[in-house]
């Protein structure tokens, strides 16, 4: 214990999304000889199913992140077995509160890991959300530079955040490539189009539905939207209202083989991301990718358009034209897919975990 460093991973609301998946892979790959780990959350940590090593899960008894820090401070200060400690926070609001409440704890290094691009705070969904994000953005500008280390999961995100907070920001990709996969034989002649993501405003699946509504060759596509979330019934009603009989919403399927193996095309429609793991997963199954040109990560995965096709955010008319063109000219999209899949080793689980361990050791 004396020679080990304690790491606290703080993710207030642990779920089934890409952030939890990436955090779990980082935790699984941390050097056990040098580090012991606690995972802190305000809810029951769903990430537990993805962790294949012994760590301690601690549920903080608080309904709001703001009021959780008294318990967090006590937990850290009462842990006398470790002289060196690292606290890793993983969410904008949690990151700010971490810097405000934990900076004065002795022998504690604070790592801020930002998992969405800064443009998240320029996308508002109502007046309340507008003021909330304005305040958060101001607090980020004033507090992030106080961290011992700032990390993001894409180079574009790191550069934009670096300029905004005037502090050094490192990028480390999400560990999400585990080799190329074999596709299954097609069951029908339709083009199997998929999208994977929470049914929330950020993922913006309505753009895909709007495009399909005016797509000339709509009936040539069999569409499956995989996810879960608060917009499920909104999307379901839209599909029924516009008679999009070739579209299915599929909830709570997490088996990648079932999602990707029979697909022919991946379409992403997000307003913003940090780093879209699903693009690497889709490319691993040799799927051509059509994506909105959101910040960030997509351009790095798709090699600025050499490995995929972009359309402007929310531009469903442009997307509809691309889908029609895909039906008529698949070969040029398949050629881009080959380029993309040949360049996926950058996101190798082994490579990224090695880099992450080096970063942590430099902090101790």
């Amino acid at each position: 214990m004396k020679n080990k460093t304690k790491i606290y991973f703080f993710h207030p609301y642990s779920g089934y999304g890409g952030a939890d998946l990436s955090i779990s892979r980082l935790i699984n790959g941390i050097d056990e000889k040098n580090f012991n780990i606690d995972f802190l959350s305000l809810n029951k940590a769903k990430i537990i199913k993805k962790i294949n090593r012994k760590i301690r899960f601690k549920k903080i008894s608080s309904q709001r992140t703001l009021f959780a820090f008294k318990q967090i401070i006590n937990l850290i200060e009462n842990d006398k077995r470790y002289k060196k400690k690292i606290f890793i926070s993983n969410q904008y609001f949690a990151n700010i509160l971490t810097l405000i409440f934990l900076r004065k704890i002795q022998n504690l290094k604070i790592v801020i890991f930002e998992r969405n691009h800064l443009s998240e705070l320029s996308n508002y969904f109502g007046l309340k959300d507008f003021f909330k994000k304005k305040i958060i953005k101001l607090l980020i500008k004033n507090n992030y530079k106080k961290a011992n280390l700032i990390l993001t999961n894409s180079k574009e995100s790191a550069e934009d955040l670096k300029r905004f907070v005037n502090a050094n920001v490192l990028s480390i990709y999400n560990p999400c490539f585990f080799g190329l996969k074999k596709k299954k034989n097609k069951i029908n002649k339709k083009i199997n189009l998929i999208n994977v993501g929470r049914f929330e405003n950020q993922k913006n699946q309505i753009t895909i539905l709007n495009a399909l509504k005016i797509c000339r060759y709509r009936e040539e596509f069999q569409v499956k939207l995989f996810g879960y979330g608060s917009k499920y019934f909104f999307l379901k009603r839209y599909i029924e209202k516009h008679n999009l009989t070739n579209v299915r919403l599929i909830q709570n399927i997490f088996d990648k083989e079932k999602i990707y193996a029979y697909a022919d095309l991946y379409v992403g429609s997000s307003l913003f991301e940090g780093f879209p793991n699903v693009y690497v997963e889709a490319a691993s199954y040799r799927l051509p990718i059509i994506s909105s040109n959101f910040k960030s990560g997509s351009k790095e995965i798709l090699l600025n358009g050499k490995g995929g096709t972009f359309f402007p955010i929310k531009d469903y008319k442009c997307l509809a034209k691309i889908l029609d063109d895909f039906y008529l000219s698949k070969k040029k999209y398949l050629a881009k897919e080959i380029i993309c899949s040949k360049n996926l080793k950058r996101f190798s689980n082994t490579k990224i975990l090695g880099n992450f361990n080096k970063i942590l050791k430099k902090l101790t």
Side-chain angles (χ1 to χ4, degrees):
M1 293 288 185
K2 291 181 179 179
N3 297 323
K4 285 191 175 185
T5 299
K6 169 59 74 70
I7 297 178
Y8 305 92
F9 273 88
F10 181 45
H11 192 47
Y13 301 102
S14 173
Y16 296 111
D20 283 86
L21 182 61
S22 298
I23 292 169
S24 70
R25 288 170 178 168
L26 292 176
I27 290 173
N28 288 334
I30 289 176
D31 184 358
E32 294 185 80
K33 294 180 181 178
N34 295 304
F35 302 99
N36 280 343
I37 300 168
D38 282 4
F39 184 86
L40 315 180
S41 62
L42 274 62
N43 62 344
K44 185 178 179 180
K46 296 179 176 65
I47 199 174
I48 191 171
K49 296 179 181 179
K50 301 183 178 82
I51 303 296
N52 58 24
R53 61 179 291 179
K54 187 177 180 181
I55 71 170
R56 185 172 68 165
F57 292 90
K58 179 66 176 177
K59 182 179 181 296
I60 306 299
S61 299
S62 175
Q63 293 184 347
R64 298 183 64 183
T65 308
L66 176 62
F67 304 122
F69 278 87
K70 182 177 180 180
Q71 292 178 60
I72 292 172
I73 291 169
N74 288 336
L75 187 151
I76 296 171
E77 290 185 334
N78 291 333
D79 200 345
K80 307 293 186 182
R81 297 171 297 171
Y82 302 90
K83 292 183 177 179
K84 295 180 287 187
K85 302 172 185 177
I86 298 173
F87 192 91
I88 303 177
S89 179
N90 291 274
Q91 196 178 71
Y92 276 126
F93 191 55
N95 293 347
I96 293 164
L97 294 175
T98 294
L99 290 166
I100 291 172
F101 287 110
L102 304 187
R103 276 178 47 237
K104 294 183 179 180
I105 297 179
Q106 290 187 344
N107 302 317
L108 181 69
K109 299 289 181 67
I110 296 176
V111 177
I112 298 305
F113 204 142
E114 194 41 66
R115 298 189 171 276
N116 264 335
H117 186 269
L118 196 62
S119 59
E120 174 189 0
L121 301 176
S122 299
N123 284 271
Y124 316 118
F125 307 107
L127 189 61
K128 181 180 178 181
D129 195 45
F130 171 81
F131 286 111
K132 175 184 174 182
K133 288 179 176 176
K134 283 288 186 184
I135 293 168
I136 289 174
K137 202 168 183 178
L138 179 63
L139 291 170
I140 286 170
K141 194 173 185 66
N142 292 334
N143 286 281
Y144 265 37
K145 65 184 68 178
K146 299 171 185 176
N148 296 99
L149 177 65
I150 307 171
L151 294 174
T152 67
N153 50 13
S154 78
K155 293 179 181 178
E156 183 178 31
S157 186
E159 286 300 316
D160 290 347
L161 188 58
K162 178 181 178 180
R163 284 192 292 269
F164 183 70
V165 302
N166 192 28
N168 191 36
V169 181
L170 298 181
S171 65
I172 180 165
Y173 289 130
N174 292 342
C176 51
F177 179 61
F178 300 87
L180 296 176
K181 312 297 182 182
K182 290 184 178 180
K183 291 183 66 174
K184 302 291 185 180
N185 293 327
K186 284 177 67 72
I187 299 173
N188 56 50
K189 294 182 180 180
K190 300 282 187 180
I191 297 169
N192 295 312
L193 183 161
I194 66 168
N195 171 273
V196 182
R198 289 173 292 109
F199 299 140
E200 302 293 351
N201 287 321
Q202 175 194 351
K203 304 299 182 179
N204 191 40
Q205 289 95 343
I206 192 65
T207 291
I208 298 174
L209 300 182
N210 282 330
L212 288 167
K213 190 175 65 171
I214 63 172
C215 183
R216 183 179 176 186
Y217 298 103
R218 181 177 86 188
E219 297 306 319
E220 302 301 327
F221 292 88
Q222 189 68 44
V223 182
K224 295 179 180 178
L225 308 182
F226 293 90
Y228 62 93
S230 65
K231 295 295 179 181
Y232 172 80
F233 290 105
F234 167 76
L235 295 171
K236 188 173 185 289
R237 287 192 296 269
Y238 186 95
I239 290 166
E240 293 169 351
K241 179 180 178 180
H242 296 283
N243 198 31
L244 297 174
T245 56
N246 60 332
V247 180
R248 289 177 61 199
L249 299 178
I250 303 176
Q251 295 190 88
N252 300 320
I253 296 293
F254 303 105
D255 186 331
K256 292 180 176 54
E257 188 81 2
K258 292 180 180 178
I259 293 172
Y260 297 105
Y262 294 97
D264 301 302
L265 172 66
Y266 188 93
V267 177
S269 51
S270 293
L271 303 178
F272 56 86
E273 292 283 351
F275 182 91
N277 293 343
V278 292
Y279 284 20
V280 177
E281 292 169 358
S284 298
Y285 281 87
R286 312 293 183 92
L287 300 186
I289 298 172
I290 297 170
S291 172
S292 56
N293 61 348
F294 59 79
K295 290 175 176 280
S296 61
S298 59
K299 297 178 186 69
E300 289 159 58
I301 297 169
L302 301 181
L303 303 165
N304 291 312
K306 293 179 182 178
T309 303
F310 290 106
F311 66 92
I313 293 172
K314 295 185 179 181
D315 192 340
Y316 65 91
K317 293 180 181 179
C318 180
L319 176 57
K321 291 178 181 177
I322 294 172
L323 292 177
D324 284 335
D325 188 56
F326 181 88
Y327 172 71
L328 296 171
S329 310
K330 294 185 188 70
K331 287 186 178 179
K332 65 182 181 183
Y333 295 90
L334 292 171
K336 288 186 175 185
E337 177 276 315
I338 292 171
I339 294 171
C340 184
S341 62
K342 284 183 176 179
N343 286 274
L344 293 178
K345 290 182 180 179
R346 297 169 292 154
F347 315 117
S348 159
N349 188 64
T350 304
K351 179 179 179 180
I352 291 166
L353 292 177
N355 291 337
F356 189 57
N357 276 296
K358 289 178 183 177
I359 289 170
L360 292 176
K361 286 176 182 177
K362 285 183 180 180
L363 281 173
T364 60

